[in-house]
Amino acid sequence: MTNISFPEPTITQVSKPFWDKIDLQEFYLQQCEDCQKWIFYPRAHCPHCFGEELLWKKASGSGTLKSWSIVHRAGHPAWQEKTPYAVGIVELLEGPSLLTHLIIDQEQLRYQLPVTISYEKLGDRYLPFFKKKGD
Ligand SMILES: [Zn+2]
């Protein structure tokens, strides 16, 4: 089989601080200085109050599982050898939700399962996956 590399995340000027922290195995989110709400994905303006002063702050990296799906046929050939795998939506303790890869046995997946971040190296960079809390 040919060596196909995993697709890299698309990093913009706005999202670069997020990915720089992930590379250091740290989880930072933006918080709005005006309304104090936490924000994900990274943006230039607060989606709640349109404030422009968004500060990067260390976040818990914990949350609960809101929804998931088992992938049998990957959207990119590099991921095909990893199938079947789980992806899901994690509701972070700070409020926002994020779509992520789950490192959780399929039979343990359940609604509101407590989860925590796990930095997984794929190719040259770390990616923010989530695992069962306590594992
Ligand atoms: Zn705001």
Side-chain angles (χ1 to χ4, degrees):
M1 191 177 156
T2 53
N3 190 15
I4 304 164
S5 54
F6 289 95
E8 296 267 316
T10 303
I11 298 173
T12 65
Q13 195 179 340
V14 171
S15 68
K16 189 173 184 306
F18 175 80
W19 291 107
D20 287 348
K21 289 296 187 185
I22 291 294
D23 263 346
L24 299 171
Q25 301 186 58
E26 293 177 358
F27 189 62
Y28 276 62
L29 295 174
Q30 289 172 303
Q31 190 179 27
C32 177
E33 276 292 277
D34 293 328
C35 73
Q36 303 303 312
K37 288 194 171 143
W38 292 83
I39 297 157
F40 187 84
Y41 53 89
R43 298 171 223 225
H45 297 88
C46 174
H48 306 287
C49 74
F50 304 107
E52 293 179 7
E53 204 168 336
L54 307 182
L55 300 184
W56 287 97
K57 294 187 181 174
K58 193 171 174 61
S60 67
S62 294
T64 55
L65 189 56
K66 212 155 98 170
S67 180
W68 65 89
S69 181
I70 307 300
V71 177
H72 292 276
R73 194 166 179 160
H76 186 280
W79 283 99
Q80 193 56 41
E81 66 187 59
K82 303 271 190 194
T83 59
Y85 59 84
V87 295
I89 296 177
V90 168
E91 185 172 354
L92 300 165
L93 290 185
E94 290 81 6
S97 294
L98 115 163
L99 178 65
T100 182
H101 193 107
L102 301 169
I103 315 168
I104 302 169
D105 290 339
Q106 287 186 34
E107 58 274 10
Q108 295 190 311
L109 292 166
R110 65 173 172 79
Y111 178 60
Q112 293 191 330
L113 179 74
V115 293
T116 190
I117 196 163
S118 178
Y119 303 92
E120 301 294 321
K121 193 142 198 182
L122 217 60
D124 290 337
R125 68 168 51 252
Y126 283 100
L127 294 177
F129 290 4
F130 278 73
K131 63 184 179 184
K132 197 174 147 194
K133 199 155 197 165
D135 275 5

